[in-house]
Amino acid sequence: ANPYYHYILSDRYAGDWLGPDRASQMVRLGSLARAGVPVALHSDSPMAPLSPLTLIWSASERQTINGQAGLDTEKLSRMTALRGVTIDAAWTLGMEDDLGSIRAGKIADLTVLAADPLTASADALRDIEVVATIFAGEAYPVQRTGKH
């Protein structure tokens, strides 16, 4: 599912197309989670930014582009949204034994973040700094330019 659809399209669809009640229900991830359905999140790029942190924010905050609050019942918890870009996404692809979590014997592709996405404020979540990526077991620190 692409949680960014709610962010980018709900306000637009609330007008002439779907009406506010139906538009607010776009991308009903909370309903899926309560039903026990593993949810994989994707960006549908170029429809949405490729950033997994943006997907986690979109799914857990359910805010629209105009700052309108979405249905609380359709929000995902941060942990469920994080799983949606990691292990549950791998499960959807049938690759959960190879990737999606950190365990000996799995493909070592991961990202090192400067802050915990589970505890960061909603305002800070999308902007957490990527410190490094690890691809096939090799670290690639992010090269910084300019002043800090």
Side-chain angles (χ1 to χ4, degrees):
N2 180 346
Y4 200 77
Y5 284 152
H6 178 269
Y7 172 77
I8 199 77
L9 296 174
S10 287
D11 289 340
R12 174 86 173 155
Y13 284 14
D16 296 333
W17 297 339
L18 296 177
D21 290 340
R22 288 176 46 202
S24 70
Q25 296 179 51
M26 290 180 67
V27 194
R28 297 183 68 183
L29 300 176
S31 295
L32 291 173
R34 284 189 302 282
V37 176
V39 176
L41 302 178
H42 68 87
S43 70
D44 200 16
S45 179
M47 174 58 198
L50 290 170
S51 169
L53 293 171
T54 297
L55 297 177
I56 293 168
W57 176 85
S58 297
S60 62
E61 295 303 317
R62 258 190 97 75
Q63 185 180 38
T64 70
I65 195 167
N66 294 321
Q68 301 296 313
L71 294 174
D72 283 343
T73 57
E74 296 307 327
K75 290 180 180 180
L76 291 182
S77 71
R78 289 263 182 100
M79 178 56 82
T80 301
L82 180 62
R83 289 181 60 93
V85 296
T86 56
I87 191 64
D88 288 347
W91 179 84
T92 301
L93 295 170
M95 298 183 72
E96 69 275 16
D97 293 333
D98 298 318
L99 50 89
S101 64
I102 302 169
R103 187 183 75 207
K106 284 191 166 189
I107 298 169
D109 297 344
L110 58 111
T111 303
V112 180
L113 301 174
D116 183 349
L118 297 178
T119 59
S121 71
D123 291 337
L125 177 59
R126 293 181 285 182
D127 298 320
I128 294 174
E129 181 180 346
V130 174
V131 175
T133 58
I134 299 174
F135 178 72
E138 188 163 338
Y140 295 89
V142 173
Q143 300 297 315
R144 302 284 175 226
T145 58
K147 292 191 250 181
H148 290 276

